Amino acid sequence: MQTHPRIGIKAISVYIPRHFLSLDTLAVVTGVDPAKYHLGLGIRRMAVAAPNEDPVTMAAAAAHDLFARYDIDAATVGLLVVGSESGVDAAKPIASFVHGMLGLSPDCRTFDTTHACYGGTAALRLASDWHAVRGTRTGKVALVIATDVARYPVGSAAEPTQGAGAVAMVVGGDPEVMELDPFPEAVYTKDVMDFWRPHYRREAIVDGQVSIDCYLRALGHTWAAYEQSSGLCWDDYDYLLFHVPFPKMAYKAFHMLHQREVLVRGASGAGLASLEDAFIARTQPALWVNAEVGNIYSGSLYLSLASLLEAGGPGVQGSRAGLFSYGSGCCGEFFSGRLGPRSTAWEGKIGAREAMESRIELDYEQYLEFRRAGARMTLDGSFAAGVARPVPGRFSFDGIRDHQRVYTTAQEDLGRDWAASDARASSAKAQIGK
Ligand code: HMG
């Protein structure tokens, strides 16, 4: 009998921006019934990246916390792959900035993977394949980070599904968090225009209903393919996790699979729990952070995994999860894994609950100002020395000078109120220009 090396996720941590906009606040401005956001989409709040946060700082922060919480030696990282659709440069990958910020070894391969929200899964799958071939020989591990800011036009139907955040994972042998099942891959690719973001835009363009249809088609295809390649069926999964652009999408996905299972079992539906009961048991525990954060694109599926691990505690030990990843454009993949035998491996180390406890609510004007200030920061000459850093975290994006993004590692809280600092920021920029 062929044996497979045990490879998977050894550690997982999240970074969630501190600021958020309540969907109740958005509903007042848009005139939409808040129930549409809460029940129709399943979202309560959305994380908003501060002007001095970007996909690079979020990725670095997630990985920095991961190393600290799990006591991982950064020198053991032999591969760094960042999954993102929020690239900050057409040539230099996010991974390269992050490599420098974390002080990783030069003996490390670094690059980004991009395919809309599938980028994180592309990175994870590639890292586990890399480990099977190389890491097992060298004793090195892979660092995979999924980081994104989800941004749509103000006032659009997609605006309530925005979010921001990063998930960092260490991938290697003898995984304590999730061992990936070694079955042949079940993927689906089709060239579609359901969601995209041209280089000249900061905000994505989306054909909402088409994107939902494409997502479900990819799920149907990959579920069937995985069933065939793995021999696993509905009853084999304790949990079903999905890419979560908004939590109701996970419900739609679950609903589709449940309906399929009803058909498989015929009229008697023998032994099949009702849709609601099955959803509450298998998927709902994995959605509570997503409902608070919104879509983080490439990291959304892994934010869902983090939700399950943090909420589930010892109850999820040893259980099997099926995971569906979807990236617009489009590429989908279904895969599965066993959660670690001991929840002590991740308890108190994921950081989602902690992040929820110290959040700062924005009013609508502040939210708009964060967007405006964030856009100004991406202009050459926007370098903002001495100007407020709303997020006093370790890593800060300070603007662009001489066509180079400037990052600093902040030692102290310079935190003045960015949202009220439009005039101050312009005057500081004017002074720098003198
Ligand atoms: P919308 O115009 O708000 O849609 O756009 P809607 O009018 O159909 O309403 C949404 C739901 O709210 C419906 O429920 C309504 O019935 C319900 P459903 O029929 O779908 O079950 N509703 C209410 N419920 C309670 N009380 C009320 C009420 N009123 C209405 N009073 C849409 C929604 C998701 C299309 C939009 O937000 C959007 O375009 N979002 C972005 C695209 C997206 O998230 N697509 C998901 C699949 S593609 C994907 O996941 C990839 C992605 O992450 C990108 C990537 O890969 O990088 C997006």
Side-chain angles (χ1 to χ4, degrees):
M1 201 177 94
Q2 197 184 357
T3 56
H4 298 272
R6 297 181 55 245
I7 295 175
I9 302 172
K10 292 174 73 65
I12 179 170
S13 254
V14 306
Y15 176 79
I16 296 164
R18 285 181 79 188
H19 298 89
F20 72 89
L21 183 74
S22 162
L23 273 281
D24 288 331
T25 304
L26 188 66
V28 171
V29 176
T30 55
V32 167
D33 179 355
K36 174 172 176 179
Y37 295 155
H38 293 167
L39 304 174
L41 298 175
I43 317 167
R44 289 161 50 78
R45 302 184 176 95
M46 61 192 198
V48 181
N52 70 326
E53 289 181 304
D54 74 355
V56 173
T57 65
M58 295 192 304
H64 173 272
D65 291 351
L66 176 96
F67 290 161
R69 290 175 183 143
Y70 290 82
D71 197 17
I72 289 166
D73 179 1
T76 60
V77 175
L79 174 72
L80 164 61
V81 195
V82 175
S84 181
E85 59 179 279
S86 315
V88 295
D89 189 282
K92 187 175 164 77
I94 293 173
S96 169
F97 289 104
V98 172
H99 181 277
M101 286 163 147
L102 297 176
L104 298 184
S105 155
D107 301 322
C108 177
R109 193 175 282 168
T110 55
F111 55 93
D112 290 358
T113 47
T114 300
H115 190 146
C117 300
Y118 180 71
T121 300
L124 172 67
R125 303 298 272 165
L126 200 138
S128 64
D129 290 352
W130 169 85
H131 189 81
V133 177
R134 301 188 189 285
T136 39
R137 286 200 213 130
T138 59
K140 297 248 175 171
V141 294
L143 174 60
V144 168
I145 312 174
T147 180
D148 271 308
V149 176
R151 205 182 288 116
Y152 297 98
V154 169
S156 67
E159 188 183 20
T161 68
Q162 295 175 136
V167 181
M169 295 173 271
V170 165
V171 176
D174 297 326
E176 292 86 4
V177 174
M178 187 171 82
E179 180 177 342
L180 295 168
D181 286 327
F183 303 117
E185 60 194 10
V187 291
Y188 173 86
T189 287
K190 191 166 169 56
D191 177 10
V192 288
M193 292 300 280
D194 60 332
F195 162 106
W196 65 102
R197 184 172 64 82
H199 282 309
Y200 51 82
R201 281 178 64 108
R202 275 169 62 77
E203 290 123 4
I205 302 170
V206 62
D207 189 334
Q209 197 47 56
V210 170
S211 73
I212 292 172
D213 294 346
C214 291
Y215 176 119
L216 292 176
R217 197 169 316 121
L219 172 62
H221 183 99
T222 55
W223 172 271
Y226 198 68
E227 201 167 44
Q228 204 165 38
S229 73
S230 68
L232 297 176
C233 60
W234 176 266
D235 282 338
D236 293 314
Y237 300 108
D238 303 293
Y239 297 100
L240 284 169
L241 275 51
F242 303 93
H243 165 56
V244 189
F246 51 93
K248 181 74 170 289
M249 188 68 228
Y251 180 81
K252 286 178 192 288
F254 189 91
H255 187 188
M256 191 187 90
L257 296 183
H258 188 269
Q259 268 183 328
R260 198 174 180 281
E261 191 58 22
V262 170
L263 290 177
V264 169
R265 296 191 188 207
S268 67
L272 185 64
S274 74
L275 170 63
E276 295 306 323
D277 287 350
F279 179 75
I280 288 169
R282 295 189 190 204
T283 300
Q284 191 157 284
L287 294 174
W288 66 276
V289 185
N290 302 75
E292 289 287 331
V293 172
N295 195 353
I296 64 164
Y297 288 159
S298 58
S300 282
L301 172 62
Y302 304 99
L303 193 62
S304 184
L305 175 61
S307 304
L308 176 65
L309 294 170
E310 268 213 293
V316 303
Q317 289 178 164
S319 55
R320 172 172 274 126
L323 296 91
F324 173 66
S325 176
Y326 177 77
S328 284
C330 71
C331 185
E333 178 161 1
F334 193 93
F335 59 104
S336 64
R338 276 234 181 254
L339 302 180
R342 279 176 302 280
S343 61
T344 47
W346 61 79
E347 269 167 11
K349 298 177 185 168
I350 291 178
R353 207 183 295 281
E354 203 178 310
M356 295 299 118
E357 283 163 5
S358 57
R359 300 178 92 189
I360 301 168
E361 180 165 7
L362 299 175
D363 64 29
Y364 188 70
E365 259 316 306
Q366 289 172 321
Y367 154 70
L368 288 183
E369 175 47 21
F370 267 36
R371 287 181 72 120
R372 284 193 292 264
R376 282 197 305 271
M377 296 281 281
T378 59
L379 303 175
D380 190 24
S382 65
F383 180 69
V387 181
R389 282 196 182 115
V391 173
R394 182 164 288 269
F395 306 104
S396 178
F397 168 52
D398 287 347
I400 299 184
R401 188 166 52 185
D402 300 335
H403 301 297
Q404 292 186 29
R405 295 178 84 83
V406 180
Y407 291 98
T408 54
T409 299
Q411 301 299 335
E412 55 182 315
D413 183 358
L414 303 175
R416 281 178 273 153
D417 181 7
W418 188 286
S421 74
D422 197 8
R424 220 167 37 228
S426 344
S427 100
K429 266 192 331 192
Q431 279 170 20
I432 290 160
K434 278 179 192 163

